[in-house]
Amino acid sequence: MTTRAAVVQGVGGCVPPRSVDNIELSSRLATSDAWIRERLGIARRHVADGMSTVDLAVEAGARALEMADTGAGVGELDVVLLATTTPDRLCPASAPEVASRLGYTGTAAFDVNAVCAGFVHALATGSALIRGHMADRVLVIGADVFTTLVDPGDRLTAAIFGDGAGALVLRVGTPDEPGAVRAFDLGSDGSQVAAVEVPAGGARDRLGMPVANQRPYLVMDGPAVFQRAVREMTESSRRVLAKAEWEADSVRRFVPHQANIRIIHRVAERLGIGAERVVANIQDVGNTVAASIPLALADAHDAGRLAAGQRVLLTSIGAGLAWGSAVLTWPKLEGKARL
């Protein structure tokens, strides 16, 4: 029996129209353009204004499907996976609405929540469904309007996060063809839940159970997160490269979660991956959480930085703590991922 593999067939991305640069941000916060650029590597970010997570996910998914030339119609897509921490509603999941709006009513659809690591976890799920003969084509989307969870008066988190969506279409194929997803490494450490969290508003809060911090906004221990992000993304990358039997020198494009530029550079240095092979779009979009990696892939494709047959390494970490890495070869793709 021929071994099945998930193969990338299309990529798409979308950000809200409203762009907030550092000058605008510093006009109301105790910060500056120079500080944000130096510490975070961000010049601007897009902020949802009249566009929800589902709206962004539909746009990114439609662009990925158009590139994959699957069209829109029931029976041409088996599963829709949406990685998000900001669903449009607490209940139900947002993925079924995304599927329906794309023309796939009746198709299996569900959300995956691993925050900034969510897309890699969703990609692993979609790949497993294909390899396990449960699907032949899967749409994997990462989308977040995380600025809705950020205190607008917090100069650090308000500067870091932006909103957006990115998507990949996976089809059934073979492990030796361009576009094949080769291996994954996933992990978590729930003892560090308080390192990055939105404390209030969950079931514990609604049940009247003790909640250490009643803030309805993101709370983050920056130094602790920096250290764990560098460590876990580096080690997870090494493990997934070992699974694929690849050397770091053979990776042509390194696409890390766009957490901040210092984390990106530190992980690349530890892996021995030169700056010319690193994909970063954080300067223009900020940290877009689950959208981070697929949006970076979409922008790299449009910029001509991804070529058929290139070895690509993805790595991420998010609240939870949860982390994940993947390796794949890039396929030949035609068309624009973002308008």
Side-chain angles (χ1 to χ4, degrees), residues 236-248 251 313 327:
S236 180
S237 294
R238 287 172 175 160
R239 287 191 296 269
V240 80
L241 288 170
K243 289 179 182 179
E245 298 182 336
W246 289 2
E247 296 294 331
V251 172
L313 167 63
V327 289

Side-chain angles (χ1 to χ4, degrees), residues 1-2 6 11 18 42 44 48 71 73 76 78 83 93 98 136 156 210 212 227-228 232 313:
M1 180 181 295
T2 302
V11 59
R18 185 185 170 207
I42 300 170
R44 64 194 62 82
E76 297 179 345
D78 300 308
V98 173
D136 287 337
L156 176 60
Q227 292 177 8
R228 284 301 295 269
E232 302 302 348
L313 167 63

Side-chain angles (χ1 to χ4, degrees), residues 31 67 81 84 97 122 159 171 179 182 217 221 226 239 249 268 271 314 328-329:
T31 188
M67 184 180 293
L81 301 176
T84 188
E97 184 178 358
R171 63 163 175 82
R182 295 289 300 272
Y217 295 122
D221 182 344
F226 184 96
R239 287 191 296 269
D249 285 348
L271 293 172
L314 317 176
L328 63 146
T329 55

Side-chain angles (χ1 to χ4, degrees), residues 251-320:
V251 172
R252 292 298 92 199
R253 293 293 177 261
F254 175 49
V255 189
H257 165 53
Q258 308 289 298
N260 77 46
I261 200 66
R262 293 184 302 139
I263 291 174
I264 291 170
H265 288 164
R266 189 72 59 84
V267 175
E269 288 169 5
R270 290 193 174 188
L271 293 172
I273 294 175
E276 74 282 357
R277 291 184 280 156
V278 177
V279 171
N281 66 347
I282 189 171
Q283 66 276 5
D284 294 318
V285 299
N287 179 344
T288 55
V289 193
S292 172
I293 286 177
L295 192 53
L297 288 170
D299 287 349
H301 165 79
D302 285 353
R305 296 201 64 208
L306 290 167
Q310 285 182 332
R311 291 183 171 184
V312 179
L313 167 63
L314 317 176
T315 191
S316 59
I317 189 170

Side-chain angles (χ1 to χ4, degrees), residues 96-237:
E97 184 178 358
V98 173
S100 180
R101 285 178 53 180
L102 287 170
Y104 296 98
T105 300
T107 297
F110 56 93
D111 291 0
V112 175
N113 183 353
V115 199
C116 297
F119 181 78
V120 174
H121 282 67
L123 188 66
T125 303
S127 177
L129 290 171
I130 288 174
R131 288 187 288 105
H133 297 263
M134 293 186 67
D136 287 337
R137 181 176 285 126
V138 178
L139 175 61
V140 184
I141 307 171
D144 271 304
V145 289
F146 206 76
T147 60
T148 61
L149 300 181
V150 169
D151 181 351
D154 181 350
R155 73 167 189 157
L156 176 60
T157 56
I160 292 174
F161 293 97
D163 302 325
L168 291 181
V169 177
L170 302 177
R171 63 163 175 82
V172 64
T174 58
D176 58 350
E177 64 177 297
V181 184
R182 295 289 300 272
F184 291 93
D185 176 77
L186 306 176
S188 73
D189 180 1
S191 72
Q192 299 300 305
V193 64
V196 190
E197 64 170 339
V198 179
R204 289 183 64 90
D205 193 16
R206 289 167 177 260
L207 288 167
M209 298 173 69
V211 178
N213 190 324
Q214 288 293 329
R215 283 173 58 82
Y217 295 122
L218 179 73
V219 178
M220 182 170 66
D221 182 344
V225 170
F226 184 96
Q227 292 177 8
R228 284 301 295 269
V230 171
R231 187 176 92 190
E232 302 302 348
M233 290 168 69
T234 301
E235 292 306 314
S236 180
S237 294

Side-chain angles (χ1 to χ4, degrees), residues 6-22:
V7 177
V8 175
Q9 194 180 23
V11 59
C14 175
V15 293
R18 185 185 170 207
S19 177
V20 177
D21 63 22
N22 294 342

